[in-house]
């Protein structure tokens, strides 16, 4: 277990349940290690909190902790074996470096599969697109699509997701993220996708880049790992389209664009917002597909077009994909919607976007809030890693907040001060500026009333998810009474 490992997901689907994923001999061969005993594993994890019966526990070492400390816990929870760099009394494969062993196991999993492998990156929309694409492909061959769970998209999450892939998978959809140049080159080299998607380019992690063009170049690194004859799926309406296309052409990729503009290969020719979702009529060359997207917001139209393009490129059934898009539900922290019970009676609608935030995603979710009935309340946390332009990125949100007719804004974190000043000067939106999530929750509780629509969004490090959990738990408690 590492200090920088992704948050555990106790509810994750246990890939390979009741099916052998690896034997001890296969793990030893892949990693160059030595097996202490014969064992078979049906899952892989490096987080002791996630270990379940039959899992392989990889004892990673980090700056703040060492996975070897959790071996007893892992085996008490049912681990079948472990990868370790120190001898132990449990069934294990001994290696020199457990992180290197994880990467080697990922390469072995990639080498043995005949699945169509799809990599997804972008400044916004990665996780939602990955989830929806996996659901769409699963309609073609139920149970044969492997995906990364949650946002396992970094230097540990991507190899873990690969290592978990059953050999018999037909499709694999994995998310890749980055906040520095060069990171995607390493990840896509490990993944070696047949199809690579860039959802969108927008200001995010700008503290580590010279500008948005540099972000586009870093996202374009995903194409460097494409398999020969692979497909690059690129946003047509992006101002960085030609930059992305040039990078893909360097890899001799087949290029497919998506968007609403004339000339996009996969194009929305008609959209209609309805209470049940957004109706889309899309063209793919001479073919047409009509479908309804279950999630609200214009950004989901763009995501859906990328998904249709990928399903078609992967050989899936894009008609069934349209049905899957209609069944979309929001993810925790990324669009999940719930009705929360209020202490005095009545309910309010909660929009959970608490996982992360950048200027583009803030604008998109405020537009979704604008379509919600009732009084609108926005709990907005600061956006981090925006560099020298952070103040202007924050203050520029005043316009979208006003356009959404937000009745009450709760601004969280010191970096929200420029936005507080902008709203104060305009004088059209009632707001409070607080230091942290606890103060934000208190401010929200003081104004929340039946019929309200509440958006909670901010950088993950602020912990605004705690507000969402508290409100949803109260909803459950109220329902039980």
């Amino acid at each position: 277990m590492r200090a920088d490992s992704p948050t555990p997901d106790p509810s994750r689907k246990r890939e390979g349940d009741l099916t052998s994923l690896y034997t001890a001999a296969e793990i030893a061969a892949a990693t160059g290690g030595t097996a202490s005993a014969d064992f078979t594993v049906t899952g892989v994890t490096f987080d002791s909190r996630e270990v379940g019966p039959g899992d392989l526990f990889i004892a990673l070492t980090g700056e703040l902790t060492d996975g070897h400390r959790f071996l007893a816990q892992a085996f008490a929870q049912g681990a079948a074996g472990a990868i370790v760099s120190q001898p132990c009394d449990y069934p294990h494969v001994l290696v020199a470096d457990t992180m290197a062993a994880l990467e080697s196991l990922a390469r072995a999993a990639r080498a043995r599969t005949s699945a169509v492998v799809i990599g997804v990156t972008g400044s916004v929309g990665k996780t939602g697109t990955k989830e929806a694409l996996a659901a769409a492909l699963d309609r073609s061959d139920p149970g044969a699509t492997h995906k990364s769970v949650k946002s396992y998209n970094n230097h540990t999450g991507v190899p873990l997701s690969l290592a978990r892939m059953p050999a018999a998978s037909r499709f694999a959809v994995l998310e890749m993220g980055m906040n520095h140049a060069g990171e995607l080159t390493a990840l896509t080299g490990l993944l070696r996708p047949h199809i690579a998607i860039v959802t969108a380019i927008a200001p995010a992690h700008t503290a580590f880049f010279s500008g948005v063009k540099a972000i586009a170049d870093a996202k374009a690194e995903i194409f460097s790992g494409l398999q020969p004859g692979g497909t690059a799926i690129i946003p047509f309406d992006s101002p960085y389209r030609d930059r992305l296309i040039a990078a893909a052409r360097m890899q001799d990729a087949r290029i497919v664009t998506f968007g609403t503009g004339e000339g996009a290969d996969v194009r929305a020719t008609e959209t209609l917002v309805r209470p049940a979702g957004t109706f889309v009529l899309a063209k793919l060359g001479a073919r047409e597909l009509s479908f309804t997207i279950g999630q609200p917001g214009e950004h989901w139209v763009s995501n859906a077009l990328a998904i249709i393009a990928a399903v078609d490129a992967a050989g899936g059934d894009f008609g069934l994909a349209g049905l899957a898009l209609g069944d979309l539900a929001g993810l925790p922290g990324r669009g999940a919607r719930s009705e929360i019970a209020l202490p005095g009676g009545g309910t309010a609608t909660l929009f959970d976007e608490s996982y992360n935030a950048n200027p583009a995603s803030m604008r998109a979710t405020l537009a979704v809030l604008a379509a919600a009935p009732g009084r609108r309340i926005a709990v907005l946390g600061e956006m981090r890693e925006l560099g020298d332009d952070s103040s202007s990125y924050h203050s520029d949100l005043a316009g979208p907040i006003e356009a959404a007719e937000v009745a009450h804004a709760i601004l969280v974190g010191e970096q929200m001060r420029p936005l507080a000043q902008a709203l104060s000067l305009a004088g059209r939106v009632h707001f409070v500026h607080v230091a942290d999530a606890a103060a934000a929750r208190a401010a929200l509780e003081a104004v929340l009333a039946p019929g309200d629509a509440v958006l909670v969004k901010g950088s993950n490090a602020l912990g605004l998810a705690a507000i969402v959990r508290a409100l949803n738990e109260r909803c459950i408690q109220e329902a039980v009474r």
Side-chain angles (χ1 to χ4, degrees), residues 24-25 35-39 91-92:
S36 70
D38 291 331
F39 57 84
H92 66 269

Side-chain angles (χ1 to χ4, degrees), residues 189-204:
L190 192 64
L191 189 60
R192 296 186 292 116
H194 299 97
I195 301 168
I197 302 171
V198 177
T199 58
I201 304 296

Side-chain angles (χ1 to χ4, degrees), residues 234-239 241 257-265:
I234 292 170
F236 182 85
D237 303 318
S238 170
R241 175 193 66 207
T257 60
F258 65 92
T260 58
E262 189 75 40
D265 296 313

